[in-house]
Amino acid sequence: MAMTEREDDRVLEPFFAAARARPPEPGPDLLARVLAEAEAVQAARPAAVRDTGAAAAGPSGWRALIGVLGGWGGAGGLLAAGVAGLWIGFSGIGALGAASTELWGGAGAILDADLGADGVFSLILDLEAEA
Amino acid sequence: MAMAFDLTDDTSDDDLLARFAAGEAAAARALTLRLTPVALRVAQRMLGDAAEAEDVAQEAMLRLWRIAPDWRPGVARVSTWLYRVTVNLCTDRLRRRRGVGLEAAGEVADGAPAPVSTLIEADRAAALEAALMSLPERQRQAVVLRHIEGLSNPEIADILGIGVEAVESLTARGKRALAALLAGRREELGYGDD
């Protein structure tokens, strides 16, 4: 087997060498089409995702939004309000009176203790990635 | 500014892909120039048809652009991923050909020998390409990746989703068949004195 394979290699290597020396090269049309699709994919991507890479050049997307909201504290507060609203929606009107004090303490405490500013931002990115 | 980077051959595929995902136009250009030829080479040798090979190369690159944001550096090699996608796209094409009775599309070049005096290296490469098209698809994949692309057996195993021993078996059987096809043409192809 090994002998046979060595003999096959001897026969074939010149052909392989010729093939390696003359690879099919992409023409300018193909390269232009590939590049155009690359640029289209880049252009279609949300700015916030692009900003997570090395080319972040300034506030845009979520960063700009967070800036408008008054920084991380404001964004965290907004998220807390959103969570609270969701809770109210699920808990129903009847339970609201009894639970409201607990709610405002509870939801805010969770955000302050477990998420923090970085956690809130990660959560926002996760939500966006899943959207 | 990141755009000031000069994206030379020293920049890794992983790095370029991350920069592409970050929106760098220069990374898109560098990856296009670096990896389109890889996809095209394999597609051309798997399909034996230039137009179809271009379509496959373009599709493989589009898939690369789309997975860029989710790429995890260091987990796999970008080139390995691209080889795998290209090979799979070629398999799909070949399956479709068989479905419409065009299996022989890439095999027509095999047969009538060209006049000895006109044979140059291009003809030798063409003779190999024609002979490759007569191999079973899996053997062709293994031989192309091993002996033309120069990949290692473990990397080929990864690309094809099989074991290293299976790769060795495929390449050995593929070369056996190729040698039988081409041995008789060595003289006319200018290798008579080897």
Side-chain angles (χ1 to χ4, degrees), chain A residues 12 19 26 42 47 58-59 62 88-89 101 108:
Chain A
L12 293 175
Q42 281 183 320
W62 283 109
I88 291 168
T101 307

Side-chain angles (χ1 to χ4, degrees), chain A residues 8-9 15 19-20 33 42, chain B residues 20 45 58 147 175-176:
Chain A
D8 291 341
D9 284 336
F15 289 94
R20 286 193 296 267
R33 290 201 300 275
Q42 281 183 320
Chain B
F20 171 82
R45 279 150 181 163
Q58 187 176 346
H147 292 281
K175 284 190 294 184
R176 187 85 282 270

Side-chain angles (χ1 to χ4, degrees), chain B residues 177-189:
Chain B
L178 283 179
L181 283 165
L182 293 170
R185 301 192 64 189
R186 279 168 56 82
E187 205 164 314
E188 82 191 55
L189 293 170

Side-chain angles (χ1 to χ4, degrees), chain B residues 49-119:
Chain B
D49 181 290
E52 271 199 292
E54 286 204 357
D55 288 348
V56 164
Q58 187 176 346
E59 174 65 24
M61 291 301 290
L62 178 59
R63 293 187 185 198
L64 179 68
W65 306 140
R66 287 178 175 157
I67 59 97
D70 303 319
W71 186 260
R72 295 183 177 192
V75 175
R77 291 173 63 177
V78 175
S79 60
T80 301
W81 181 92
L82 186 67
Y83 276 121
R84 187 183 304 137
V85 168
T86 305
V87 164
N88 289 342
L89 287 170
C90 290
T91 297
D92 291 343
R93 293 259 172 173
L94 293 168
R95 216 168 268 157
R96 254 178 275 157
R97 272 188 202 173
R98 282 193 287 272
V100 294
L102 293 176
E103 171 62 20
E107 300 177 25
V108 290
D110 198 10
V116 176
S117 59
T118 63
L119 285 169

Side-chain angles (χ1 to χ4, degrees), chain A residues 1 3 6 13 16-18 23 37 43 57 59 63-64 67 81 90 92 97 101-102 105 108 111-112 118 123 125 129:
Chain A
M1 177 64 187
M3 279 290 286
R6 270 201 294 276
E13 184 47 38
F16 289 141
E37 286 186 335
R63 289 178 192 203
F90 279 116
T101 307
E102 232 175 281
L111 281 173
D112 290 345
D118 288 344
L123 180 61
L125 287 180

Side-chain angles (χ1 to χ4, degrees), chain A:
Chain A
M1 177 64 187
M3 279 290 286
T4 305
E5 191 166 353
R6 270 201 294 276
E7 172 60 17
D8 291 341
D9 284 336
R10 193 186 69 78
V11 171
L12 293 175
E13 184 47 38
F15 289 94
F16 289 141
R20 286 193 296 267
R22 302 184 61 84
E25 299 283 358
D29 288 352
L30 174 60
L31 292 173
R33 290 201 300 275
V34 170
L35 187 56
E37 286 186 335
E39 289 167 349
V41 169
Q42 281 183 320
R45 196 160 294 147
V49 174
R50 293 203 304 270
D51 275 355
T52 60
S60 62
W62 283 109
R63 289 178 192 203
L65 176 62
I66 287 162
V68 168
L69 294 173
W72 293 111
L78 183 69
L79 189 66
V83 170
L86 201 64
W87 194 91
I88 291 168
F90 279 116
S91 63
I93 298 296
L96 181 60
S100 59
T101 307
E102 232 175 281
L103 166 70
W104 290 110
I110 288 168
L111 281 173
D112 290 345
D114 295 339
L115 289 175
D118 288 344
V120 170
F121 185 56
S122 297
L123 180 61
I124 290 170
L125 287 180
D126 288 346
L127 290 171
E128 186 189 341
E130 287 167 14

